[in-house]
Amino acid sequence: MDSMSPQEVGARFGAMILGAELSEERPPSDSPLGRVRAWGEQYGTEKLTPEHVRAAIEGRPLPPPE
């Protein structure tokens, strides 16, 4: 039997339904998630806003922290 917790099974199932995949690896640095993570590591994740995520998805530069 697999050793996944019920939460992990649910998360993986939800990801499959949405056409996504859960991964333990870091995202590519040029992907939207990779860019948001790098910004958060540099300036602090508590300073991230929806505008930062929107900019990353659209391929625009992420604005500096306020």
Side-chain angles (χ1 to χ4, degrees):
M1 182 162 191
D2 202 331
S3 63
M4 284 194 289
S5 71
Q7 291 80 11
E8 186 173 358
V9 170
R12 289 186 181 275
F13 177 73
M16 286 185 339
I17 296 298
L18 295 172
E21 180 180 324
L22 297 178
S23 175
E24 299 292 325
E25 298 174 18
R26 292 184 64 86
S29 60
D30 60 343
S31 71
L33 181 56
R35 294 176 58 223
V36 168
R37 286 185 61 151
W39 192 98
E41 289 170 1
Q42 182 176 0
Y43 298 112
T45 56
E46 68 280 354
K47 296 178 182 176
L48 279 168
T49 66
E51 175 57 29
H52 292 103
V53 175
R54 199 169 13 262
I57 291 170
E58 294 172 357
R60 296 184 286 119
L62 277 62
E66 296 179 355

